[in-house]
Amino acid sequence: EEALEAKYGLAEAVVVDVEGTNNDIIAALGSAGATYLETTLTGRERIGISSWSQTLLAAVDRMRPFRVPGAESVVQLIGGIGNSSVQTQGNRLLSEFARLVGATATFVPAPGLVGNRTMRESLLNDRAMESVAQEWKRLTMALVGIGGLAPSPLLQASGNAVDPASQEKLRTAGAVGDVCVRFFDSAGNLVPSDLDDRVVGIDPDTLRKIPRRIGIAGGESKHKAIHAAISGGWVNVLITDTGTAVALLQR
């Protein structure tokens, strides 16, 4: 943990001693994330949380209710409306987390991805979305997953995933992963694409100005994305597994 903090300039690193399948790693990271949040939330936090992360869902599922409020508010960082069959999971992630920490919940009343820039601009100019955007600027903490180029099963099922053609364009442009559907290359630099004009969510500059940006992610398939995310300052607190930590220190 200290070596990761020193090498990548992280505010904090938590390394979980776990091996096994991807599900084993997600479960262990979920437990570690729950413990970290239970012991570090001060009650004055304004927290942004991404909608479609299996690891974040695992963390929330393992949290216990706070006896006193752990935060003032919890705000969705990217649109959550999508496939109705899995929408309840995205809603549960936000609403249950808010309930556990004793905070008010604010949803993004829009899909995470829309068809074109005009649709996105129209949504962002809506009074309800303007209110959410103001909340993003006031956040003191972000809680995010770190995605590889291929979407997770949960994101894929949500209806908010990037389509295969756009994935290929991003791959050609050098993208290796994303945070909140903002894709970056191996050095952590934002990869500009048409996709940015379709995302209804927090913009990269506002995201990276949040004081504490906690990424919970691990597993071999995420090594490149996690390295890029911490190199580019997308997260400054990392909760990950030993295999990923060793790989990051060997780079």
Side-chain angles (χ1 to χ4, degrees):
E1 292 170 349
E2 292 176 357
L4 281 176
E5 291 164 7
K7 183 178 177 70
Y8 291 99
L10 294 170
E12 195 167 1
V14 177
V15 177
V16 184
D17 188 8
V18 59
E19 296 178 350
T21 66
N22 192 51
N23 287 338
D24 293 332
I25 291 172
I26 287 174
L29 293 180
S31 295
T35 300
Y36 178 84
L37 292 167
E38 287 168 356
T39 55
T40 61
L41 291 184
T42 64
R44 297 182 297 275
E45 303 282 6
R46 296 183 295 275
I47 305 171
I49 188 168
S50 54
S51 310
W52 303 104
S53 168
Q54 291 172 294
T55 312
L56 295 187
L57 197 55
V60 171
D61 283 343
R62 288 161 175 79
M63 286 178 64
R64 296 167 296 183
F66 280 52
R67 292 182 180 178
V68 296
E72 291 180 8
S73 61
V74 178
V75 184
Q76 209 166 24
L77 291 175
I78 184 168
I81 296 171
N83 190 323
S84 59
S85 65
V86 294
Q87 179 61 33
T88 53
Q89 295 190 69
N91 287 348
R92 181 165 65 87
L93 176 56
L94 184 74
S95 58
E96 181 66 4
F97 180 64
R99 184 189 70 83
L100 290 166
V101 301
T104 58
T106 300
F107 292 85
V108 173
L113 279 175
V114 293
N116 54 57
R117 181 174 185 170
T118 302
M119 293 174 64
R120 174 179 175 270
E121 293 293 333
S122 177
L123 285 168
L124 291 178
N125 288 328
D126 180 80
R127 183 173 298 177
M129 273 304 308
E130 287 180 344
S131 175
V132 175
Q134 289 303 312
E135 289 291 317
W136 288 335
K137 294 177 181 178
R138 298 176 61 247
L139 296 175
T140 62
M141 186 181 115
L143 187 59
V144 300
I146 300 170
L149 197 54
S152 69
L154 179 61
L155 180 58
Q156 185 70 57
S158 75
N160 288 291
V162 178
D163 61 85
S166 295
Q167 286 180 47
E168 188 55 39
K169 287 181 181 179
L170 286 163
R171 183 179 291 106
T172 301
V176 299
D178 81 288
V179 169
C180 294
V181 199
R182 302 298 183 178
F183 286 85
F184 39 75
D185 62 19
S186 59
N189 299 313
L190 181 71
V191 174
S193 74
D194 297 341
L195 187 72
D196 288 325
D197 291 334
R198 298 168 47 210
V199 175
V200 183
I202 190 169
D203 66 271
D205 290 339
T206 301
L207 173 61
R208 287 190 281 189
K209 287 177 182 176
I210 298 170
R212 185 156 54 136
R213 306 178 299 282
I214 304 166
I216 308 179
E220 187 174 356
S221 65
K222 296 284 187 74
H223 286 182
K224 288 182 180 179
I226 294 170
H227 173 263
I230 59 178
S231 297
W234 295 89
V235 301
N236 60 3
V237 175
L238 178 66
I239 301 175
T240 194
D241 62 285
T242 45
T244 300
V246 170
L248 290 171
L249 291 172
Q250 292 176 341
R251 293 184 72 95

